[in-house]
Amino acid sequence: MDLEAFRSLPEWPMILRDSWETNAGWWQAGFTEGSDVEYEEQIKPIVRVGLGGAHRILDLGGGDGQLARVLAADGASTVVLDSSAAQLQTAHHRGSSVVLATGAALPFRDGSFDGVLICLVLEHVVELDEVLAEVARVLEPGGRFLLMLNHPILQTPGSGFIDDVDLGEQYWRLGPYLREDIQMEEVDAQIFVPFVHRPLSRYLNGASARGLMLVRMEEPPPPPGFVARAEEYLQVQEYPRLLVLHFERRP
Ligand SMILES: C[S@@+](CC[C@H](N)C(=O)[O-])C[C@H]1O[C@@H](n2cnc3c(N)ncnc32)[C@H](O)[C@@H]1O
């Protein structure tokens, strides 16, 4: 569905929030506490390097707090903010400081943090510009913003593996890349998660318009443990599943 049309529905905030309340248990069981190879082999190491040395870090959309805990173990003071109470209940239980709020209206003073992390969140968020403005506001000048996304070039509406029976091939189908769109995707049996697709330029231009300057971009290949999980993943070894953007708040 077209993103602007979705945003005109009065009930859209409830649709998004309810989805994460309902699916928090699914997320925690499949992607946290060492259960997901991409987090263990790739995302956690990138986070430690990308925000290493920061002292006050906001993990926006931090879920159960797994990444904040990695940073806290390295000595940072961290806050896990999320719009899902079910996620935060677990984050609190697992030892994180938590705040229930939306990323579009952060309950912190200007310049409260020298690091902000957003990992695999903005592709579920409708209010991109509001969130980026809030990140810029709560970061002190020179502070770092580490943004990780499912790579938007591959995660388009209708993208996925296609079996070409005539050619005996399997390939990754790309849908319409330039359209801003939201879909409820069935990511597991009866698990529906909202996925917002936008072209990469929307993220980069949205950030730069708010004083968040790109300093480095990474497109890492899937880690070995992921590729080993299924035969078809061998074919996507050279497709970037993850996009890593390192920004700095302009002084
Ligand atoms: C895929 S999970 C990622 C969790 C965590 N960042 C991680 O990498 O383990 C997405 C998280 O974003 C949160 N979220 C979605 N929309 C949000 C919003 N507008 N404000 C704050 N959190 C949001 C969800 O509740 C969920 O916990």
Side-chain angles (χ1 to χ4, degrees), residues 136-193:
R137 185 182 66 74
V138 302
L139 258 185
E140 67 181 25
R144 279 172 280 164
F145 169 36
L146 177 58
L147 173 59
M148 302 169 99
L149 296 164
N150 287 292
H151 203 308
I153 194 90
L154 288 185
Q155 304 294 325
T156 56
S159 63
F161 277 116
I162 297 289
D163 284 314
D164 188 325
V165 281
D166 293 334
L167 290 176
E169 278 182 4
Q170 203 175 37
Y171 57 86
W172 188 263
R173 176 185 185 275
L174 275 192
Y177 172 74
L178 292 174
R179 185 191 307 159
E180 292 194 42
D181 183 273
I182 182 164
Q183 301 201 356
M184 295 301 283
E185 289 190 15
E186 188 171 14
V187 290
D188 217 332
Q190 290 304 307
I191 302 291
F192 292 89
V193 174

Side-chain angles (χ1 to χ4, degrees), residues 57-66 68 78-85 87-89 91-92 96-108 113 116-119 121 125 131 134-135 137-138:
I57 300 176
L58 171 64
D59 185 1
L60 195 161
D64 85 309
Q66 60 176 333
T78 61
V79 178
V80 176
L81 177 138
D82 204 285
S83 51
S84 159
Q87 290 278 50
L88 292 183
Q89 209 170 9
H92 174 68
S96 294
S97 299
V98 301
V99 171
L100 181 64
T102 167
L106 296 175
F108 306 111
F113 300 96
V116 173
L117 169 65
I118 302 188
C119 178
V121 176
V125 163
V131 172
E134 282 294 82
V135 169
R137 185 182 66 74
V138 302

